[in-house]
Amino acid sequence: MKTCFKNGRVVLILRGRFAGSKAIILTKSSNFDKNAVQTFILAGLQKYPQMITRKMSLKKVSKKSRMKIFIKKVNINHVFPTRFFIDLNKTTDKLVNEKIEDYKDFIEKKIENKELLSKEKKIFSSFLKNIFLDQFFSGKQKWFFEKLKF
């Protein structure tokens, strides 16, 4: 079962503040030993965009298409894999991988300077937000940008 967790896999978060929300696996933790539990760095939508119609003005469309991104380090036991994959961006795949690796290295250093950590997280989340917005406006994966209905 652990082999199904690959980068780009869409998962559902089962525990915590973001329980029930969809997320994408960005990367696995590299420091995995026998006693530790494997973790992922996930990116998902905290606030979903609202419905847009053809009659809406450009200003209203931009307001309704706002979304809020979360980036979280999550235990493998707290996610449920789906059958879906999302390529973050095929054209800038190397750029995406570089940003993910930079952020992953930054997290694993366990830097105590919270201001530096929050700045790095804001930069990375704005980068991912732009990619998610491109995906949203392309209209390829509409199901990912809709709230789960329980």
Side-chain angles (χ1 to χ4, degrees):
M1 174 134 174
K2 293 182 182 176
T3 58
C4 69
F5 294 107
K6 295 179 182 174
N7 296 350
R9 169 81 68 181
V10 177
V11 294
L12 298 175
I13 299 178
L14 301 175
R15 302 279 170 119
R17 179 178 176 189
F18 302 110
S21 60
K22 296 175 234 172
I24 300 172
I25 296 176
L26 296 179
T27 183
K28 294 180 187 177
S29 64
S30 59
N31 53 357
F32 179 67
D33 54 335
K34 292 179 183 176
N35 297 331
V37 179
Q38 190 171 8
T39 58
F40 301 118
I41 296 177
L42 303 177
L45 294 173
Q46 184 176 353
K47 183 181 174 190
Y48 290 88
Q50 296 175 346
M51 194 175 81
I52 298 170
T53 60
R54 292 174 69 188
K55 294 180 181 180
M56 290 183 185
S57 65
L58 205 61
K59 184 179 177 183
K60 195 156 194 163
V61 167
S62 66
K63 201 172 191 179
K64 291 228 176 200
S65 61
R66 289 183 188 161
M67 56 182 81
K68 201 170 185 183
I69 306 295
F70 70 86
I71 302 163
K72 200 92 169 127
K73 190 175 181 182
V74 179
N75 187 329
I76 191 172
N77 298 324
H78 298 165
V79 294
F80 182 76
T82 63
R83 63 182 177 161
F84 301 107
F85 277 96
I86 289 184
D87 280 337
L88 290 177
N89 207 346
K90 291 182 180 179
T91 57
T92 60
D93 197 30
K94 290 181 182 177
L95 181 65
V96 170
N97 288 338
E98 287 175 14
K99 286 273 191 185
I100 290 170
E101 289 301 317
D102 290 344
Y103 185 71
K104 182 179 168 185
D105 293 339
F106 198 79
I107 283 180
E108 289 178 354
K109 288 179 186 174
K110 294 183 179 176
I111 296 174
E112 293 180 10
N113 189 352
K114 291 185 180 182
E115 293 176 10
L116 189 62
L117 183 65
S118 66
K119 283 182 184 177
E120 185 68 26
K121 196 169 185 176
K122 281 183 183 179
I123 292 168
F124 187 59
S125 66
S126 66
F127 174 73
L128 284 175
K129 186 177 182 180
N130 290 334
I131 292 174
F132 280 164
L133 279 171
D134 290 343
Q135 291 276 332
F136 175 67
F137 284 119
S138 68
K140 291 180 182 175
Q141 285 110 359
K142 288 185 178 180
W143 54 269
F144 184 74
F145 299 100
E146 293 174 359
K147 245 184 178 178
L148 280 175
K149 294 169 184 156
F150 288 102

